[in-house]
Amino acid sequence: MRSNCSSSSACPANSSEEELPGELQAYGSLELVFTVVSAVMMALLMFSLGCSVEVLKLWTHVRRPWGIAVGLLCQFGLMPSIAYLLAVSFSLQPVQAVAVLIMGCCPGGTISNIFTFWVDGDMDLSISMTTCSTVAALGMMPLCLYLYTRSWNLQQNLTIPYQNIGITLVCLTIPVAFGVYVNYRWPKQSKIILKIGAVAGGALLLVVAVAGVVLAKGSWYSDVNLLTISFVFPLIGHIAGFLLALFTHQSWPRCRTISLETGAQNIQMCITMLQLSFSTEHLVQMYSFPLAYGLFQLLDGFLIVAAYQTYKRRLKNKHRKKNPDCAEVCHEKKSASSKETDSFLEVNEGAVCPGPSGPADCHGALEPTGHLASCE
């Protein structure tokens, strides 16, 4: 392992732009789009999502980091193991297998934060997990790559993009800190910012997805095994993260949060590491994987959100049929319906929490508040 070079042209593994074939020039354009859009998305999105973070709840996660620990175990325990097993099962070439493994060793991406918001997850835990996994990547990425790549004979030295990790941390923590401050000082205004940010985040995700489909159209005829892995890998990550969270007795919002955090990886960091570590010849074989993974993780996230919102709407309609007098009151107090619906969902998802993740979690999940409680 070695630290990243100051620029792509300074790295011996990289070629100059004139030497790149047409395919990689398209990939380079795609990377530029992803870089610009993701930078804007990260700053604005994390500021708006930071407006949903409460200082006391955030401190609770720091003081009792059980949920964060489970998330880190999923991120740097499950994901690298899944990546290695997929690479071995599909009998990938060493260069392609390393691309899959690098993706599995990357920290969580900020895409998981917006999806967590849409499925009524634990936003405090989501942002804490994204930040902690990015910090932990400074040491865990080299360790995981060293352990899992020993079975393949690689001539290249893998380059950890420490500069990219540092930029990600800055773009993550500073906007979130401003959002937390706004929520603390102006709670009413922060709710408006949060709603605008959620819509803007969804629009930006769609822009990234469309740009990926258009600019990466030449990569869809690449290795079928890589495309198959890019499709099933994030899905397996979501399922494995949810099951591990359930097994460790996390509450339902935490299970949803950890599931989304596990399957959503930092695509830009994977692309940067591939560029710094491999030659143009190898990049042709590897570049399609992180791009396809990014598109499929967006698709999986939208499907999870759609499934949850459908389930949530059915529960609300079922509740209104049982309590017709409550519909008018619910309409009048629409501004407070989100939190109250979450409490109602917790009761309907199970009379008890999955396990004793903490007295505060179960207490919040078991007691519906506001007009929903009065209509029962």
Side-chain angles (χ1 to χ4, degrees):
M1 306 293 173
R2 64 179 187 270
S3 61
N4 57 308
C5 303
S6 58
S7 65
S8 299
S9 59
C11 295
N14 295 310
S15 302
S16 64
E17 197 162 324
E18 293 78 36
E19 296 172 341
L20 291 176
E23 266 184 77
L24 283 186
Q25 287 182 6
Y27 292 150
S29 301
L30 176 60
E31 186 207 352
L32 179 60
V33 172
F34 275 139
T35 301
V36 175
V37 173
S38 63
V40 175
M41 179 182 69
M42 185 180 296
L44 297 179
L45 183 59
M46 296 314 297
F47 168 71
S48 61
L49 294 179
C51 292
S52 68
V53 176
E54 298 180 16
V55 178
L56 292 179
K57 290 183 179 180
L58 188 62
W59 173 246
T60 301
H61 285 298
V62 175
R63 188 167 52 89
R64 299 178 57 190
W66 181 232
I68 296 176
V70 174
L72 291 177
L73 178 60
C74 293
Q75 197 71 62
F76 298 109
L78 287 180
M79 290 299 282
S81 300
I82 294 171
Y84 181 81
L85 292 175
L86 286 173
V88 172
S89 300
F90 282 84
S91 302
L92 297 180
Q93 300 175 10
V95 174
Q96 295 175 327
V98 170
V100 176
L101 188 59
I102 290 175
M103 179 62 71
C105 295
C106 284
T110 56
I111 291 176
S112 60
N113 303 129
I114 187 64
F115 285 144
T116 298
F117 173 77
W118 284 337
V119 299
D120 300 325
D122 190 331
M123 287 303 303
D124 304 277
L125 176 61
S126 178
I127 293 175
S128 300
M129 279 183 59
T130 303
T131 305
C132 291
S133 67
T134 304
V135 174
L138 295 170
M140 292 305 299
M141 281 187 71
L143 177 61
C144 292
L145 289 172
Y146 171 75
L147 293 176
Y148 285 101
T149 57
R150 296 179 67 182
S151 58
W152 299 307
N153 296 321
L154 294 177
Q155 299 178 353
Q156 292 83 4
N157 290 321
L158 299 181
T159 303
I160 306 299
Y162 292 111
Q163 183 179 1
N164 188 272
I165 295 175
I167 293 174
T168 301
L169 277 175
V170 172
C171 294
L172 178 65
T173 54
I174 293 180
V176 168
F178 276 111
V180 173
Y181 178 76
V182 170
N183 188 31
Y184 176 75
R185 289 294 304 271
W186 304 284
K188 292 183 178 180
Q189 289 80 355
S190 66
K191 300 297 184 295
I192 300 175
I193 296 174
L194 181 59
K195 291 180 180 180
I196 296 174
V199 175
L204 286 170
L205 290 180
L206 289 176
V207 169
V208 172
V210 172
V213 171
V214 173
L215 296 178
K217 58 184 179 181
S219 67
W220 297 114
Y221 61 82
S222 60
D223 193 286
V224 177
N225 289 334
L226 276 182
L227 289 179
T228 303
I229 292 175
S230 66
F231 173 74
V232 301
F233 193 6
L235 189 60
I236 294 175
H238 291 312
I239 296 173
F242 183 86
L243 292 177
L244 182 59
L246 194 65
F247 179 76
T248 53
H249 309 296
Q250 301 299 305
S251 62
W252 289 114
R254 287 190 177 188
C255 289
R256 295 194 292 268
T257 300
I258 293 174
S259 171
L260 288 168
E261 288 286 337
T262 302
Q265 300 294 88
N266 192 320
I267 307 299
Q268 180 62 34
M269 196 171 296
C270 177
I271 292 176
T272 301
M273 187 170 180
L274 292 177
Q275 284 184 318
L276 295 174
S277 302
F278 293 92
S279 63
T280 302
E281 180 183 356
H282 289 147
L283 285 177
V284 173
Q285 306 176 49
M286 306 165 74
Y287 231 60
S288 61
F289 175 74
L291 300 180
Y293 185 99
L295 293 175
F296 283 127
Q297 82 172 5
L298 281 175
L299 177 61
D300 290 342
F302 282 124
L303 290 176
I304 292 173
V305 170
Y308 175 78
Q309 292 296 332
T310 302
Y311 168 69
K312 178 179 175 179
R313 193 174 295 109
R314 287 175 121 186
L315 280 182
K316 290 174 68 176
N317 292 336
K318 183 179 179 181
H319 177 70
R320 286 173 181 172
K321 289 180 181 179
K322 289 184 178 180
N323 303 273
D325 296 335
C326 185
E328 184 177 351
V329 182
C330 292
H331 179 72
E332 293 175 354
K333 298 184 178 181
K334 188 176 180 180
S335 60
S337 64
S338 179
K339 292 183 179 179
E340 295 159 355
T341 303
D342 294 344
S343 300
F344 177 71
L345 283 171
E346 292 302 321
V347 176
N348 284 274
E349 285 174 338
V352 295
C353 292
S357 60
D361 297 329
C362 289
H363 179 75
L366 289 172
E367 294 185 6
T369 59
H371 68 275
L372 284 177
S374 65
C375 294
E376 295 175 351

mmCIF file with all atom_site columns, all heavy atoms in Angstrom, residues 49-62:
data_model
loop_
_atom_site.group_PDB
_atom_site.id
_atom_site.type_symbol
_atom_site.label_atom_id
_atom_site.label_alt_id
_atom_site.label_comp_id
_atom_site.label_asym_id
_atom_site.label_entity_id
_atom_site.label_seq_id
_atom_site.pdbx_PDB_ins_code
_atom_site.Cartn_x
_atom_site.Cartn_y
_atom_site.Cartn_z
_atom_site.occupancy
_atom_site.B_iso_or_equiv
_atom_site.pdbx_formal_charge
_atom_site.auth_seq_id
_atom_site.auth_comp_id
_atom_site.auth_asym_id
_atom_site.auth_atom_id
_atom_site.pdbx_PDB_model_num
ATOM 1   N N   . LEU A 1 49 ? -29.848 17.453 5.616  1.00 0.00 ? 49 LEU A N   1
ATOM 2   C CA  . LEU A 1 49 ? -30.061 16.306 6.497  1.00 0.00 ? 49 LEU A CA  1
ATOM 3   C C   . LEU A 1 49 ? -29.541 16.576 7.902  1.00 0.00 ? 49 LEU A C   1
ATOM 4   O O   . LEU A 1 49 ? -30.048 16.024 8.876  1.00 0.00 ? 49 LEU A O   1
ATOM 5   C CB  . LEU A 1 49 ? -29.380 15.063 5.913  1.00 0.00 ? 49 LEU A CB  1
ATOM 6   C CG  . LEU A 1 49 ? -29.970 14.539 4.606  1.00 0.00 ? 49 LEU A CG  1
ATOM 7   C CD1 . LEU A 1 49 ? -29.199 13.325 4.116  1.00 0.00 ? 49 LEU A CD1 1
ATOM 8   C CD2 . LEU A 1 49 ? -31.441 14.201 4.764  1.00 0.00 ? 49 LEU A CD2 1
ATOM 9   N N   . GLY A 1 50 ? -28.514 17.412 8.000  1.00 0.00 ? 50 GLY A N   1
ATOM 10  C CA  . GLY A 1 50 ? -28.036 17.797 9.325  1.00 0.00 ? 50 GLY A CA  1
ATOM 11  C C   . GLY A 1 50 ? -29.093 18.529 10.125 1.00 0.00 ? 50 GLY A C   1
ATOM 12  O O   . GLY A 1 50 ? -29.062 18.527 11.359 1.00 0.00 ? 50 GLY A O   1
ATOM 13  N N   . CYS A 1 51 ? -30.050 19.156 9.419  1.00 0.00 ? 51 CYS A N   1
ATOM 14  C CA  . CYS A 1 51 ? -31.143 19.843 10.100 1.00 0.00 ? 51 CYS A CA  1
ATOM 15  C C   . CYS A 1 51 ? -32.095 18.873 10.798 1.00 0.00 ? 51 CYS A C   1
ATOM 16  O O   . CYS A 1 51 ? -32.964 19.308 11.562 1.00 0.00 ? 51 CYS A O   1
ATOM 17  C CB  . CYS A 1 51 ? -31.934 20.697 9.098  1.00 0.00 ? 51 CYS A CB  1
ATOM 18  S SG  . CYS A 1 51 ? -31.007 22.107 8.448  1.00 0.00 ? 51 CYS A SG  1
ATOM 19  N N   . SER A 1 52 ? -31.976 17.588 10.527 1.00 0.00 ? 52 SER A N   1
ATOM 20  C CA  . SER A 1 52 ? -32.808 16.592 11.209 1.00 0.00 ? 52 SER A CA  1
ATOM 21  C C   . SER A 1 52 ? -32.109 15.986 12.419 1.00 0.00 ? 52 SER A C   1
ATOM 22  O O   . SER A 1 52 ? -32.702 15.191 13.142 1.00 0.00 ? 52 SER A O   1
ATOM 23  C CB  . SER A 1 52 ? -33.181 15.462 10.227 1.00 0.00 ? 52 SER A CB  1
ATOM 24  O OG  . SER A 1 52 ? -32.029 14.713 9.873  1.00 0.00 ? 52 SER A OG  1
ATOM 25  N N   . VAL A 1 53 ? -30.859 16.352 12.630 1.00 0.00 ? 53 VAL A N   1
ATOM 26  C CA  . VAL A 1 53 ? -30.068 15.764 13.713 1.00 0.00 ? 53 VAL A CA  1
ATOM 27  C C   . VAL A 1 53 ? -30.252 16.573 14.990 1.00 0.00 ? 53 VAL A C   1
ATOM 28  O O   . VAL A 1 53 ? -30.143 17.802 14.981 1.00 0.00 ? 53 VAL A O   1
ATOM 29  C CB  . VAL A 1 53 ? -28.571 15.714 13.337 1.00 0.00 ? 53 VAL A CB  1
ATOM 30  C CG1 . VAL A 1 53 ? -27.743 15.191 14.496 1.00 0.00 ? 53 VAL A CG1 1
ATOM 31  C CG2 . VAL A 1 53 ? -28.369 14.836 12.105 1.00 0.00 ? 53 VAL A CG2 1
ATOM 32  N N   . GLU A 1 54 ? -30.549 15.876 16.059 1.00 0.00 ? 54 GLU A N   1
ATOM 33  C CA  . GLU A 1 54 ? -30.670 16.499 17.369 1.00 0.00 ? 54 GLU A CA  1
ATOM 34  C C   . GLU A 1 54 ? -29.409 16.212 18.173 1.00 0.00 ? 54 GLU A C   1
ATOM 35  O O   . GLU A 1 54 ? -28.925 15.074 18.206 1.00 0.00 ? 54 GLU A O   1
ATOM 36  C CB  . GLU A 1 54 ? -31.904 15.980 18.099 1.00 0.00 ? 54 GLU A CB  1
ATOM 37  C CG  . GLU A 1 54 ? -33.210 16.302 17.378 1.00 0.00 ? 54 GLU A CG  1
ATOM 38  C CD  . GLU A 1 54 ? -34.421 15.778 18.116 1.00 0.00 ? 54 GLU A CD  1
ATOM 39  O OE1 . GLU A 1 54 ? -34.275 15.443 19.314 1.00 0.00 ? 54 GLU A OE1 1
ATOM 40  O OE2 . GLU A 1 54 ? -35.502 15.690 17.502 1.00 0.00 ? 54 GLU A OE2 1
ATOM 41  N N   . VAL A 1 55 ? -28.907 17.241 18.839 1.00 0.00 ? 55 VAL A N   1
ATOM 42  C CA  . VAL A 1 55 ? -27.628 17.131 19.550 1.00 0.00 ? 55 VAL A CA  1
ATOM 43  C C   . VAL A 1 55 ? -27.686 16.043 20.615 1.00 0.00 ? 55 VAL A C   1
ATOM 44  O O   . VAL A 1 55 ? -26.756 15.235 20.747 1.00 0.00 ? 55 VAL A O   1
ATOM 45  C CB  . VAL A 1 55 ? -27.247 18.484 20.172 1.00 0.00 ? 55 VAL A CB  1
ATOM 46  C CG1 . VAL A 1 55 ? -25.947 18.355 20.964 1.00 0.00 ? 55 VAL A CG1 1
ATOM 47  C CG2 . VAL A 1 55 ? -27.107 19.554 19.102 1.00 0.00 ? 55 VAL A CG2 1
ATOM 48  N N   . LEU A 1 56 ? -28.780 15.986 21.367 1.00 0.00 ? 56 LEU A N   1
ATOM 49  C CA  . LEU A 1 56 ? -28.879 15.016 22.460 1.00 0.00 ? 56 LEU A CA  1
ATOM 50  C C   . LEU A 1 56 ? -28.881 13.580 21.931 1.00 0.00 ? 56 LEU A C   1
ATOM 51  O O   . LEU A 1 56 ? -28.226 12.694 22.494 1.00 0.00 ? 56 LEU A O   1
ATOM 52  C CB  . LEU A 1 56 ? -30.148 15.275 23.284 1.00 0.00 ? 56 LEU A CB  1
ATOM 53  C CG  . LEU A 1 56 ? -30.158 16.581 24.104 1.00 0.00 ? 56 LEU A CG  1
ATOM 54  C CD1 . LEU A 1 56 ? -31.488 16.724 24.845 1.00 0.00 ? 56 LEU A CD1 1
ATOM 55  C CD2 . LEU A 1 56 ? -28.995 16.607 25.086 1.00 0.00 ? 56 LEU A CD2 1
ATOM 56  N N   . LYS A 1 57 ? -29.628 13.342 20.830 1.00 0.00 ? 57 LYS A N   1
ATOM 57  C CA  . LYS A 1 57 ? -29.660 11.991 20.253 1.00 0.00 ? 57 LYS A CA  1
ATOM 58  C C   . LYS A 1 57 ? -28.302 11.618 19.666 1.00 0.00 ? 57 LYS A C   1
ATOM 59  O O   . LYS A 1 57 ? -27.867 10.467 19.771 1.00 0.00 ? 57 LYS A O   1
ATOM 60  C CB  . LYS A 1 57 ? -30.745 11.913 19.177 1.00 0.00 ? 57 LYS A CB  1
ATOM 61  C CG  . LYS A 1 57 ? -32.156 11.984 19.728 1.00 0.00 ? 57 LYS A CG  1
ATOM 62  C CD  . LYS A 1 57 ? -33.176 11.821 18.615 1.00 0.00 ? 57 LYS A CD  1
ATOM 63  C CE  . LYS A 1 57 ? -34.598 11.863 19.155 1.00 0.00 ? 57 LYS A CE  1
ATOM 64  N NZ  . LYS A 1 57 ? -35.607 11.705 18.079 1.00 0.00 ? 57 LYS A NZ  1
ATOM 65  N N   . LEU A 1 58 ? -27.655 12.596 19.031 1.00 0.00 ? 58 LEU A N   1
ATOM 66  C CA  . LEU A 1 58 ? -26.324 12.334 18.485 1.00 0.00 ? 58 LEU A CA  1
ATOM 67  C C   . LEU A 1 58 ? -25.340 11.990 19.583 1.00 0.00 ? 58 LEU A C   1
ATOM 68  O O   . LEU A 1 58 ? -24.517 11.082 19.448 1.00 0.00 ? 58 LEU A O   1
ATOM 69  C CB  . LEU A 1 58 ? -25.847 13.562 17.701 1.00 0.00 ? 58 LEU A CB  1
ATOM 70  C CG  . LEU A 1 58 ? -24.559 13.409 16.892 1.00 0.00 ? 58 LEU A CG  1
ATOM 71  C CD1 . LEU A 1 58 ? -24.728 12.352 15.810 1.00 0.00 ? 58 LEU A CD1 1
ATOM 72  C CD2 . LEU A 1 58 ? -24.160 14.741 16.273 1.00 0.00 ? 58 LEU A CD2 1
ATOM 73  N N   . TRP A 1 59 ? -25.433 12.696 20.701 1.00 0.00 ? 59 TRP A N   1
ATOM 74  C CA  . TRP A 1 59 ? -24.562 12.410 21.831 1.00 0.00 ? 59 TRP A CA  1
ATOM 75  C C   . TRP A 1 59 ? -24.847 11.031 22.417 1.00 0.00 ? 59 TRP A C   1
ATOM 76  O O   . TRP A 1 59 ? -23.938 10.342 22.885 1.00 0.00 ? 59 TRP A O   1
ATOM 77  C CB  . TRP A 1 59 ? -24.712 13.489 22.895 1.00 0.00 ? 59 TRP A CB  1
ATOM 78  C CG  . TRP A 1 59 ? -23.968 13.188 24.162 1.00 0.00 ? 59 TRP A CG  1
ATOM 79  C CD1 . TRP A 1 59 ? -24.484 12.937 25.402 1.00 0.00 ? 59 TRP A CD1 1
ATOM 80  C CD2 . TRP A 1 59 ? -22.542 13.074 24.305 1.00 0.00 ? 59 TRP A CD2 1
ATOM 81  N NE1 . TRP A 1 59 ? -23.490 12.680 26.301 1.00 0.00 ? 59 TRP A NE1 1
ATOM 82  C CE2 . TRP A 1 59 ? -22.282 12.766 25.656 1.00 0.00 ? 59 TRP A CE2 1
ATOM 83  C CE3 . TRP A 1 59 ? -21.477 13.215 23.419 1.00 0.00 ? 59 TRP A CE3 1
ATOM 84  C CZ2 . TRP A 1 59 ? -20.991 12.585 26.144 1.00 0.00 ? 59 TRP A CZ2 1
ATOM 85  C CZ3 . TRP A 1 59 ? -20.187 13.036 23.911 1.00 0.00 ? 59 TRP A CZ3 1
ATOM 86  C CH2 . TRP A 1 59 ? -19.957 12.721 25.253 1.00 0.00 ? 59 TRP A CH2 1
ATOM 87  N N   . THR A 1 60 ? -26.112 10.609 22.362 1.00 0.00 ? 60 THR A N   1
ATOM 88  C CA  . THR A 1 60 ? -26.468 9.269  22.845 1.00 0.00 ? 60 THR A CA  1
ATOM 89  C C   . THR A 1 60 ? -25.766 8.194  22.026 1.00 0.00 ? 60 THR A C   1
ATOM 90  O O   . THR A 1 60 ? -25.267 7.202  22.572 1.00 0.00 ? 60 THR A O   1
ATOM 91  C CB  . THR A 1 60 ? -27.993 9.067  22.780 1.00 0.00 ? 60 THR A CB  1
ATOM 92  O OG1 . THR A 1 60 ? -28.635 10.058 23.585 1.00 0.00 ? 60 THR A OG1 1
ATOM 93  C CG2 . THR A 1 60 ? -28.376 7.678  23.277 1.00 0.00 ? 60 THR A CG2 1
ATOM 94  N N   . HIS A 1 61 ? -25.707 8.386  20.706 1.00 0.00 ? 61 HIS A N   1
ATOM 95  C CA  . HIS A 1 61 ? -25.011 7.414  19.850 1.00 0.00 ? 61 HIS A CA  1
ATOM 96  C C   . HIS A 1 61 ? -23.513 7.408  20.125 1.00 0.00 ? 61 HIS A C   1
ATOM 97  O O   . HIS A 1 61 ? -22.864 6.358  20.041 1.00 0.00 ? 61 HIS A O   1
ATOM 98  C CB  . HIS A 1 61 ? -25.266 7.740  18.377 1.00 0.00 ? 61 HIS A CB  1
ATOM 99  C CG  . HIS A 1 61 ? -26.640 7.371  17.908 1.00 0.00 ? 61 HIS A CG  1
ATOM 100 N ND1 . HIS A 1 61 ? -27.104 6.071  17.902 1.00 0.00 ? 61 HIS A ND1 1
ATOM 101 C CD2 . HIS A 1 61 ? -27.657 8.135  17.423 1.00 0.00 ? 61 HIS A CD2 1
ATOM 102 C CE1 . HIS A 1 61 ? -28.341 6.050  17.434 1.00 0.00 ? 61 HIS A CE1 1
ATOM 103 N NE2 . HIS A 1 61 ? -28.699 7.298  17.140 1.00 0.00 ? 61 HIS A NE2 1
ATOM 104 N N   . VAL A 1 62 ? -22.956 8.567  20.438 1.00 0.00 ? 62 VAL A N   1
ATOM 105 C CA  . VAL A 1 62 ? -21.523 8.638  20.734 1.00 0.00 ? 62 VAL A CA  1
ATOM 106 C C   . VAL A 1 62 ? -21.226 8.026  22.099 1.00 0.00 ? 62 VAL A C   1
ATOM 107 O O   . VAL A 1 62 ? -20.226 7.319  22.271 1.00 0.00 ? 62 VAL A O   1
ATOM 108 C CB  . VAL A 1 62 ? -21.050 10.108 20.684 1.00 0.00 ? 62 VAL A CB  1
ATOM 109 C CG1 . VAL A 1 62 ? -19.585 10.216 21.103 1.00 0.00 ? 62 VAL A CG1 1
ATOM 110 C CG2 . VAL A 1 62 ? -21.226 10.671 19.278 1.00 0.00 ? 62 VAL A CG2 1
#
